[in-house]
Amino acid sequence: MNKQLAFSVIYVIAFLISACSPNASAPPVSAPTNAPQPTAISTVVPTVEPTVELTVTPIPLAKLKLESFLIQPGDLPAGLSGAQIRDTAPEMFKTLPAAENTIYQQFARDNASAGGVTVFLYDDKSKIDNAYRVIVSGMGSTAKPIADVGDRASVAPLTLDIEAADLAFIRCNAVVHIRFSGTSSVDEIKSYAKRLDTRLKELVCR
């Protein structure tokens, strides 16, 4: 073999040995492009709806139904009961200002008339004051102011011709007159007035 052939053989052997060497570097491995990537965690902020305030329009005074509020169980003293109901006031109130709404319920004792309760509803404040003054004036000289009933109240026990008691009070847009016949007890008529006043307060104050 000549020198050139021998050199070629040695070169080939050297190349094969280097190719099979464990230290030979492997071709770089690229990361897969479709590997899942971490996603950002989103924070959901709840939407707060605005609070809606409902406006309730009160029933006009002229359309209020008061029948069921006038007398309820436990209101009246023993022997006294409710009788006829009308939407007109007794003749004794004819000089009062005209009201938007009027209701009158008689009381009875032993099947005979024994007073009653009359409620007048007014939109006009001046008419309320006027009506109250007229009613109290008609109750006589024994009328005196009392507390714990309505915005203003007066009571008058009567013991001359008949035994009776009158009570008048204002509660917001209502003027009320009560008469018990057959008893002059201030405590009895005041107890009923307070119960009626509590019920009217929810209807006529606006």
Side-chain angles (χ1 to χ4, degrees):
M1 236 180 349
N2 57 28
K3 292 180 179 181
Q4 185 176 2
L5 180 59
F7 180 81
S8 297
V9 171
I10 294 171
Y11 179 81
V12 171
I13 293 172
F15 177 80
L16 292 175
I17 292 173
S18 65
C20 295
S21 171
N23 294 327
S25 60
V29 179
S30 60
T33 57
N34 60 348
Q37 299 296 320
T39 57
I41 299 176
S42 60
T43 302
V44 179
V45 179
T47 302
V48 179
E49 296 293 336
T51 302
V52 179
E53 294 185 3
L54 299 178
T55 301
V56 179
T57 303
I59 299 173
L61 295 176
K63 295 185 178 181
L64 284 177
K65 303 298 182 182
L66 300 175
E67 288 89 341
S68 62
F69 291 86
L70 296 179
I71 301 176
Q72 292 189 5
D75 278 353
L76 301 177
L80 207 59
S81 60
Q84 187 183 45
I85 299 176
R86 302 201 304 259
D87 60 1
T88 56
E91 185 69 14
M92 61 184 287
F93 299 116
K94 63 181 181 180
T95 60
L96 266 64
E100 276 67 44
N101 197 337
T102 301
I103 190 166
Y104 166 61
Q105 175 153 25
Q106 290 180 322
F107 298 144
R109 188 189 300 274
D110 298 328
N111 297 320
S113 177
V117 54
T118 312
V119 180
F120 305 91
L121 302 184
Y122 294 97
D123 284 319
D124 189 334
K125 181 65 169 59
S126 64
K127 290 183 178 181
I128 294 172
D129 294 334
N130 187 9
Y132 179 75
R133 285 195 300 269
V134 172
I135 291 174
V136 173
S137 175
M139 287 164 54
S141 60
T142 60
K144 59 180 181 180
I146 57 172
D148 304 328
V149 180
D151 302 320
R152 276 190 288 165
S154 296
V155 67
L158 308 174
T159 56
L160 296 178
D161 297 332
I162 59 171
E163 188 177 20
D166 282 1
L167 189 151
F169 70 89
I170 295 173
R171 171 58 73 184
C172 297
N173 294 78
V175 181
V176 181
H177 175 266
I178 305 165
R179 171 169 289 176
F180 282 180
S181 295
T183 176
S184 58
S185 171
V186 171
D187 289 339
E188 287 182 345
I189 196 169
K190 184 177 178 180
S191 175
Y192 168 63
K194 290 175 70 172
R195 293 167 70 99
L196 177 59
D197 179 31
T198 298
R199 295 193 292 267
L200 287 177
K201 189 186 305 183
E202 299 179 0
L203 290 176
V204 302
C205 295
R206 51 197 61 196

